[in-house]
C-alpha cells in the first residue's frame, strides 16, 4: 500500500490532517496508486508461489509497471480466514486461495469440495474451467472477490500419527480440518473427531498431540514438514478441491477494460505455469516423504469411504442449484 496518497476521496481537510499524522490506514487506496499487495499461504518456491510470481511479472511487463504487484509469501499477511476478510475489505489486493475456506461464504464452493466427486485431475479441470468455475465466480463476486484463474491442488488424503487403513481405524481420532462446515461434517461422517485449525498451527498441534492427524495433498504434507510428525499417509484421495487466483473487487472496480484483460490473460498464463509445476511437485513431494521414511498406506478400495459420504451429499448438494451443478459435473467427459 502506498504511503503517498494521491487524489484521495475524502475532503481536502481530512486528507491534509491524515497526511500530517502520517496516517496510511485501511482507507481505500487512491485510484492512481498501483502498488498491489498479494497474499500467499505457501512458500515462494511452492507451485502456487511460482504461479503468482509469474502473474505479477506478466502484469508488470504488460502495463509498463503501472500496476506493480508484490506477493507476500508464507502467510506473512496472516492466516487464510483473516486474509479472506482482508481481501473483502480491500487491504489485500490479490491472493491464491483454496476454495474450501469459502464453503460457508459462497455455497457453490461446497460442490467442488464434495468428496469423491471428480474422477481424476482432468475431470476436475474440465469442471473448474467450465460450469463449476462460472458458478463459483458469480458467488465469489457477491462477496467482493473476483476470480481470475484456477490452480490445481491435487488430491487430498488423510495422514496420521497411527496407521489408518479403513474408516474404522479413524474412529475417534482428532483430525484437523479447514474452517468449513462441510469439512467438519465430512470428518464426522467418517466417525473422526474434526478439529478446525489454521494451516499454520497444524505442525505444532500434531507435535503436541492436540490432533492425531490432518488431510492434505502431497506437496502440502511435504512442504510444511507435517510428515515428520504424522508418519502415515493413507491415500484416501477423498477431495480434489481446486484453488483460485483472485483480486479484490475494490481494486477491480478501478481498472479499465484493457487492464482487466491484461490481468485475466496473465492469470490464465500463471495457471498454466502453476499446473505444470504442480504435476512435478506432487511427484517430487511424494518421493521426498517416502525417502524420509513415511509409511504410505495405499487405499485400494475407496468404496467403503465413499459410501459413508452420503450424509455430506444429502446436506451440501441437496439445494436444487447445487444438485444441478453436481449433475452437470458428473456428466462431463
Ligand atoms: C493446502 C492449500 C492451502 C490451504 C491448506 C489447508 O493444500 O493449498 O491454501 O487450504 O491446504 O489445508 O489449510
Amino acid at each position: 500500500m502506498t504511503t503517498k496518497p494521491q487524489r484521495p476521496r475524502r475532503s481536502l481537510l481530512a486528507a491534509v490532517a491524515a497526511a500530517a499524522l502520517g496516517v496510511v490506514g485501511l482507507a481505500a487506496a487512491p485510484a492512481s496508486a498501483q502498488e498491489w499487495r498479494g497474499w500467499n499461504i505457501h512458500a515462494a518456491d511452492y507451485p502456487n508461489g511460482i504461479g503468482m510470481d509469474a502473474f505479477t511479472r506478466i502484469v508488470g511487463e504488460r502495463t509498463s509497471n503501472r500496476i506493480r504487484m508484490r506477493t507476500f509469501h508464507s502467510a506473512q499477511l496472516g492466516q487464510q480466514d483473516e486474509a479472506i476478510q482482508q481481501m473483502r475489505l480491500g487491504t489485500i489486493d490479490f491472493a491464491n486461495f483454496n476454495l474450501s475456506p469459502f464453503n460457508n461464504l459462497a455455497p457453490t464452493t461446497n460442490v467442488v469440495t464434495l468428496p469423491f466427486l471428480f474422477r481424476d485431475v482432468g475431470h476436475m479441470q474440465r469442471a473448474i474451467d467450465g460450469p463449476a468455475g462460472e458458478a463459483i465466480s458469480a458467488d465469489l463476486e457477491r462477496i467482493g472477490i473476483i476470480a481470475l484463474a484456477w490452480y490445481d491442488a491435487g488430491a487430498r488424503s488423510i495422514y496420521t500419527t497411527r496407521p489408518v487403513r479403513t474408516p474404522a481405524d479413524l474412529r475417534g481420532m482428532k483430525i484437523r480440518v479447514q474452517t468449513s462446515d462441510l469439512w467438519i461434517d465430512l470428518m464426522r461422517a467418517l466417525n473422526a473427531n474434526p478439529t478446525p485449525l489454521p494451516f499454520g498451527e497444524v505442525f505444532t498441534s500434531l507435535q503436541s498431540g492436540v490432533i492425531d492427524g490432518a488431510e492434505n495433498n502431497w506437496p502440502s504434507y511435504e512442504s510444511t514438514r507435517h510428515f515428520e510428525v504424522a508418519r502415515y499417509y493413507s491415500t484416501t484421495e477423498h477431495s480434489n478441491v481446486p484453488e483460485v487466483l483472485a483480486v479484490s473487487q475494490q481494486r477491480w472496480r478501478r481498472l479499465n477494460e484493457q487492464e482487466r484483460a491484461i490481468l485475466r490473460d496473465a492469470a490464465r498464463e500463471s495457471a498454466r505455469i502453476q499446473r505444470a509445476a504442480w504435476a512435478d511437485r506432487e511427484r517430487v513431494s511424494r518421493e521426498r516423504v517416502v525417502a524420509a521414511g513415511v509409511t504410505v498406506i495405499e487405499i485400494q478400495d475407496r468404496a467403503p469411504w465413499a459410501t459413508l459420504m452420503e450424509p455430506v451429499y444429502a446436506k451440501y448438494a441437496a439445494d436444487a442449484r447445487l444438485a444441478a451443478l453436481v449433475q452437470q459435473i458428473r456428466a462431463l467427459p
Side-chain angles (χ1 to χ4, degrees):
M1 186 163 288
T2 179
T3 51
K4 224 172 42 177
Q6 302 154 29
R7 286 208 285 126
R9 283 190 186 148
R10 53 199 160 201
S11 76
L12 186 60
L13 197 62
V16 170
L21 292 167
V23 174
V24 180
L26 301 179
S32 52
Q34 296 283 300
E35 182 99 7
W36 293 38
R37 294 184 348 137
W39 180 85
N40 176 19
I41 200 166
H42 297 289
D45 69 350
Y46 197 83
N48 306 31
I50 295 170
M52 291 183 81
D53 285 345
F55 173 66
T56 59
R57 181 181 45 75
I58 298 168
V59 170
E61 282 165 12
R62 296 193 188 155
T63 63
S64 311
N65 278 330
R66 248 181 315 116
I67 302 181
R68 285 193 312 280
M69 296 175 150
R70 174 168 172 210
T71 304
F72 292 82
H73 298 288
S74 305
Q76 285 172 68
L77 300 181
Q79 289 296 316
Q80 197 154 247
D81 290 343
E82 299 145 32
I84 290 175
Q85 290 315 319
Q86 288 195 60
M87 201 159 169
R88 297 180 70 186
L89 290 168
T91 54
I92 283 177
D93 303 304
F94 66 103
N96 158 228
F97 290 114
N98 185 272
L99 289 173
S100 291
F102 290 108
N103 287 166
N104 296 359
L105 302 167
T108 48
T109 62
N110 285 296
V111 171
V112 291
T113 308
L114 281 170
F116 305 107
L117 175 66
F118 298 117
R119 293 186 296 274
D120 50 36
V121 177
H123 183 210
M124 183 282 288
Q125 289 177 343
R126 285 187 291 282
I128 199 69
D129 292 336
E134 274 167 40
I136 292 170
S137 296
D139 253 10
L140 290 179
E141 191 164 346
R142 267 180 233 118
I143 58 163
I145 288 175
I146 308 296
L148 296 183
W150 311 103
Y151 281 5
D152 276 356
R156 297 176 77 102
S157 287
I158 292 170
Y159 52 89
T160 43
T161 51
R162 327 191 272 277
V164 168
R165 293 190 172 79
T166 65
D169 294 334
L170 261 188
R171 181 172 287 278
M173 283 176 91
K174 286 178 281 178
I175 306 295
R176 177 268 175 172
V177 291
Q178 301 195 65
T179 38
S180 137
D181 290 346
L182 188 155
W183 275 108
I184 292 172
D185 286 327
L186 188 154
M187 277 303 156
R188 279 203 188 120
L190 293 173
N191 294 309
N193 187 349
T195 311
L197 281 175
F199 192 45
E201 287 175 25
V202 178
F203 184 90
T204 46
S205 304
L206 283 167
Q207 211 174 26
S208 63
V210 167
I211 52 172
D212 306 307
E215 54 76 55
N216 222 313
N217 48 52
W218 291 108
S220 281
Y221 176 56
E222 175 260 318
S223 65
T224 52
R225 312 202 73 78
H226 294 174
F227 70 91
E228 289 178 355
V229 272
R231 306 288 287 160
Y232 300 91
Y233 192 93
S234 309
T235 60
T236 48
E237 301 192 348
H238 49 274
S239 177
N240 280 72
V241 54
E243 312 220 342
V244 66
L245 177 64
V247 302
S248 99
Q249 199 171 45
Q250 311 224 14
R251 279 288 190 188
W252 190 249
R253 279 204 191 110
R254 301 191 202 119
L255 298 179
N256 61 37
E257 281 312 316
Q258 194 203 0
E259 290 166 332
R260 288 181 179 183
I262 290 174
L263 261 67
R264 284 202 188 283
D265 286 348
R268 273 194 290 269
E269 284 175 42
S270 90
R272 273 196 291 278
I273 291 166
Q274 189 273 347
R275 287 176 182 186
W278 182 266
D280 281 351
R281 182 63 180 259
E282 261 192 328
R283 185 182 37 78
V284 169
S285 291
R286 184 181 173 137
E287 285 166 6
R288 281 183 190 158
V289 300
V290 168
V294 159
T295 302
V296 178
I297 299 170
E298 291 290 356
I299 306 293
Q300 306 292 354
D301 182 12
R302 300 203 172 86
W305 299 81
T307 310
L308 290 169
M309 295 300 143
E310 275 161 25
V312 180
Y313 276 79
K315 186 160 168 191
Y316 295 93
D319 166 281
R321 184 171 71 116
L322 302 188
L325 187 55
V326 170
Q327 288 318 318
Q328 231 180 327
I329 292 173
R330 285 203 167 124
L332 288 171

